[in-house]
Amino acid sequence: MSRYIIKRLLSAIPVLIGITMIDYLIMSLAGNPLEMMVGPRISQAALDIRAIQLGLDQPIYIQYFVWLNQLLHGNLGYSISSYQSVSTMILDHIAPTLLLMVSSLLLSYVIALPCGIYSAVKQYSKMDYAIVTTSFVASSIPSFFLALLLIYVFSIKLGWLPSNGMVTLGTSFHLLDLVQHMVLPVLVLALSFAGSNIRYIRSAMLEILQADYLRLAKAKGIGMKKVILKHGLKNALVPIVSLIGTQIPLLFGGAVIVEQVFSWPGLGLMTMSAIISRDYPVIMGVCLLSAIVVLIGNLVTDILYAWINPTIELR
Amino acid sequence: MNTHESMSHMIVRRFIKHRLAVVFTIIFLVLSLIALLAPWIAPYDPNAISASFSAPPTNLHWLGTDQIGRDVLSRLIYGMRISLLVGICATLISITIGVILGLVAGYFGGIIDSIIMRFTDMVMSFPYILLVLVAAAIFEPGLVSIILILGFVDWPGITRMVRGNVLSLRESDFVKSARIAGLPRHQILFGEILPNTVAPILIYATNVLAMSMLDEAALSFLGMGVTQPTASLGNMLNAAQSMNVLTDKPWLWIPAGSLIIILVVSINFIGDALRDAFDPNSAQ
């Protein structure tokens, strides 16, 4: 087991290096900070001096190593538009995004687990049909359109819920206020996650229900309920853990559009405004951070997977 | 029971069993036909400006007119054409890249496989939507860029799947015998292995098509995809970002959004029925 973990950690290193390279390459492809300075009042000589100051006269691989060195010292660079350090900006915006995404993922499992299991146990029943059809529709609705529909109904027509931001402006923090602001964005995200999660859990459960040991349990006549709860669910845990693992990237990248529609003050909204104002250091900082989180997520999933399921081949 | 039923016959029979999929296939075909024949079906030129601005639906304009007086129904028909075009072209690009890389990685193995798969891991590590948004910010928005961006970002999943398939097929008896018979590599790869992975690729393609259409809609909605005056289902929804349109002019945004849902649901159901139809473990 520990050999497997070490091996898996080692294989992540080239991917990590590759990620920093792609990140740097995109940043240099996107443009050169000098272009922003070019204008009638700046002479060529001034530009050249600035290029030397910024190290832009060096070949690109040297620039990459300089950047990497800074990165290892925890310096992600500075925003072009606000001059704040990118790491501070990310730290300031990460909490609202995590709050939003963790609640949405939890709600989606609360919806998807019972629906998926019920659907698998009662395969080909009317209810199964209805659940699967609904899940298809839920994952086919563009999240921003669902957001607009919900805002139209609950904020504009009924006036029940706020559609903008995280707290009511000009008031002091109040838990109920926060929850009210969370309802619509969490609903949009949870429904779209639940759509695919239901089908995933259903097929994982179906596979297990057809396994020999479950047929045996059924044949022994220990009762359907006990079969499902005792043998089925326990084994369904393996695919569910890997499902959670594949959804870790969503914690960071999944909410860009929904945050934009609801003006939720998180990482997504910050990234979106950086993208619009072409604030590359911020964009690249976020990309790098999320890529690393994904990498760690995959690692943890693989290791957990191997730990839960001892039959997996550890190679 | 006819035991000598041909493969294609069996697949069609199993597909038809999926009633809902048949209904949605018909809907999808009709919508595609409307999109294809847009110049003959649309009542107006999608970019022609009439005298009425933001007018609600009337006999003249069945779905009303937009803020600068263009017929919404005509724009919807042309928009659907563009959205389908973007989705299909992007899917073709990503499937081509994904299949070629997956075939090469799986068949040759060794260092080539390692390089391709590590690169795939790297691309997959970046959240998909962030990559698309960043690429959309770097390149000028427009029809061609959006097709290329979606096409070039969405291939890693296909590569992984095709590689996995090739790995298991490579050890199968018919490929081994082809190798012993001395068939050249490219012939084994494209003549023996590829035809046997067509079914999963096709199923995956429906997934990618649905995803691409949703992404086109999202990007155009944010103003980073298909740009005005060309209509796409996504950029027609862009208008709903204004409170005035969202509250008082539902005909400007509800039809476009509903059409996206219908198209994507249809594609997903077709994919689901294909999965059942091709599944060798399926009951019948």
Side-chain angles (χ1 to χ4, degrees):
Chain A
M1 185 69 200
S2 54
R3 261 191 66 197
Y4 173 74
I5 294 177
I6 292 169
K7 211 161 174 201
R8 196 64 193 73
L9 281 173
L10 285 179
S11 78
I13 291 172
V15 177
L16 186 62
I17 296 172
I19 287 172
T20 62
M21 281 175 163
I22 295 180
D23 202 50
Y24 191 77
L25 210 66
I26 296 176
M27 179 150 53
S28 14
L29 265 181
N32 167 330
L34 293 180
E35 281 167 20
M36 317 249 171
M37 293 173 60
V38 175
R41 287 194 297 165
I42 310 269
S43 69
Q44 185 58 44
L47 281 180
D48 290 344
I49 292 169
R50 189 80 184 122
I52 293 169
Q53 275 179 350
L54 291 172
L56 292 170
D57 54 333
Q58 306 282 342
I60 184 152
Y61 60 90
I62 303 239
Q63 290 182 39
Y64 167 72
F65 283 118
V66 171
W67 174 76
L68 197 62
N69 186 33
Q70 288 298 310
L71 200 66
L72 291 175
H73 288 89
N75 180 5
L76 280 168
Y78 292 88
S79 157
I80 294 173
S81 53
S82 71
Y83 302 105
Q84 267 184 302
S85 96
V86 172
S87 35
T88 332
M89 286 175 76
I90 291 177
L91 282 178
D92 285 348
H93 289 87
I94 208 162
T97 296
L98 284 178
L99 176 67
L100 184 66
M101 296 311 280
V102 170
S103 337
S104 310
L105 280 173
L106 282 180
L107 181 61
S108 88
Y109 296 129
V110 169
I111 301 172
L113 271 171
C115 288
I117 292 171
Y118 183 88
S119 211
V121 174
K122 301 264 155 91
Q123 199 191 5
Y124 302 130
S125 70
K126 280 214 173 86
M127 199 58 196
D128 171 36
Y129 217 56
I131 289 175
V132 172
T133 309
T134 316
S135 83
F136 263 117
V137 176
S139 51
S140 305
I141 302 179
S143 56
F144 67 91
F145 184 63
L146 183 60
L148 292 175
L149 281 177
L150 290 180
I151 292 175
Y152 183 68
V153 175
F154 292 103
S155 303
I156 297 173
K157 292 288 156 188
L158 298 171
W160 289 354
L161 292 163
S163 66
N164 218 301
M166 203 163 108
V167 286
T168 310
L169 287 177
T171 59
S172 57
F173 177 82
H174 198 286
L175 189 65
L176 186 69
D177 186 44
L178 175 68
V179 172
Q180 280 183 336
H181 280 88
M182 278 174 70
V183 173
L184 290 183
V186 166
L187 211 57
V188 169
L189 288 165
L191 281 179
S192 67
F193 296 148
S196 52
N197 287 354
I198 288 177
R199 291 200 302 283
Y200 186 92
I201 293 170
R202 176 179 181 270
S203 59
M205 198 67 197
L206 275 178
E207 211 161 286
I208 288 160
L209 288 176
Q210 279 159 7
D212 289 339
Y213 60 85
L214 263 199
R215 286 189 181 169
L216 177 71
K218 261 186 269 178
K220 279 198 307 196
I222 63 173
M224 205 53 199
K225 216 180 207 165
K226 214 169 165 194
V227 170
I228 293 160
L229 291 180
K230 194 165 170 224
H231 298 270
L233 263 185
K234 207 171 113 196
N235 289 287
L237 216 61
V238 178
I240 289 170
V241 163
S242 69
L243 174 70
I244 296 175
T246 58
Q247 288 177 333
I248 289 174
L250 290 174
L251 288 177
F252 291 83
V256 179
I257 290 162
V258 171
E259 283 189 9
Q260 172 82 6
V261 177
F262 288 102
S263 312
W264 186 264
L267 220 48
L269 195 67
M270 182 192 92
T271 314
M272 204 53 215
S273 63
I275 286 172
I276 289 166
S277 60
R278 310 209 162 198
D279 196 340
Y280 292 113
V282 178
I283 303 175
M284 290 309 130
V286 174
C287 281
L288 189 66
L289 176 81
S290 28
I292 291 171
V293 170
V294 174
L295 196 67
I296 296 172
N298 287 345
L299 265 174
V300 173
T301 316
D302 280 359
I303 291 169
L304 267 182
Y305 200 84
W307 181 61
I308 298 182
N309 186 5
T311 57
I312 196 173
E313 239 182 294
L314 301 183
R315 276 196 303 168
Chain B
M1 184 75 191
N2 180 8
T3 46
H4 298 287
E5 192 180 26
S6 78
M7 182 76 182
S8 54
H9 188 115
M10 184 184 71
I11 288 166
V12 170
R13 185 172 54 82
R14 284 190 188 157
F15 190 95
I16 290 172
K17 269 191 72 183
H18 199 316
R19 296 271 167 71
L20 218 52
V22 176
V23 173
F24 277 108
T25 311
I26 294 168
I27 294 176
F28 186 72
L29 288 178
V30 170
L31 287 175
S32 306
L33 202 68
I34 292 175
L36 205 66
L37 301 176
W40 292 279
I41 290 176
Y44 296 90
D45 177 336
N47 297 325
I49 292 164
S50 76
S52 55
F53 306 127
S54 301
T58 56
N59 275 338
L60 266 177
H61 300 280
W62 289 0
L63 288 176
T65 56
D66 68 7
Q67 299 102 314
I68 56 172
R70 297 172 296 193
D71 180 53
V72 173
L73 179 61
S74 307
R75 288 188 73 71
L76 203 62
I77 294 172
Y78 274 89
M80 181 167 71
R81 191 174 150 111
I82 293 292
S83 296
L84 279 167
L85 181 79
V86 171
I88 291 169
C89 292
T91 306
L92 287 178
I93 293 175
S94 55
I95 294 282
T96 310
I97 300 174
V99 167
I100 291 177
L101 287 180
L103 279 179
V104 170
Y107 190 76
F108 291 102
I111 188 124
I112 299 178
D113 179 36
S114 297
I115 293 174
I116 292 179
M117 291 328 287
R118 288 298 84 74
F119 183 61
T120 310
D121 284 349
M122 288 168 206
V123 177
M124 277 184 119
S125 300
F126 291 97
Y128 175 75
I129 190 76
L130 267 187
L131 266 189
V132 172
L133 285 171
V134 170
I138 295 175
F139 302 106
E140 283 291 303
L143 191 59
V144 179
S145 351
I146 178 90
I147 291 175
L148 292 178
I149 290 169
L150 293 178
F152 276 93
V153 172
D154 212 6
W155 54 267
I158 306 161
T159 301
R160 276 197 174 175
M161 184 204 70
V162 171
R163 172 180 174 270
N165 257 310
V166 174
L167 280 183
S168 61
L169 283 174
R170 199 173 60 170
E171 299 311 317
S172 66
D173 289 338
F174 72 94
V175 172
K176 275 186 187 157
S177 56
R179 209 178 297 143
I180 292 165
L183 248 64
R185 265 183 174 173
H186 64 94
Q187 206 162 333
I188 296 179
L189 211 51
F190 292 101
E192 306 284 332
I193 292 181
L194 186 58
N196 284 291
T197 38
V198 163
I201 293 172
L202 201 63
I203 294 163
Y204 208 100
T206 59
N207 241 324
V208 176
L209 179 58
M211 279 285 293
S212 308
M213 292 194 62
L214 285 176
D215 291 333
E216 181 277 323
L219 277 183
S220 303
F221 168 71
L222 294 172
M224 304 176 83
V226 180
T227 43
Q228 297 282 352
T230 311
S232 88
L233 295 178
N235 73 18
M236 290 180 74
L237 281 161
N238 187 283
Q241 278 185 333
S242 105
M243 213 45 182
N244 166 22
V245 171
L246 188 66
T247 337
D248 300 324
K249 302 186 176 74
W251 64 90
L252 285 180
W253 59 279
I254 291 186
S258 316
L259 199 54
I260 296 174
I261 299 177
I262 295 172
L263 284 169
V264 178
V265 168
S266 314
I267 296 166
N268 278 334
F269 270 111
I270 294 172
D272 188 46
L274 282 177
R275 189 171 307 129
D276 285 352
F278 280 115
D279 184 5
N281 303 321
S282 163
Q284 279 146 339

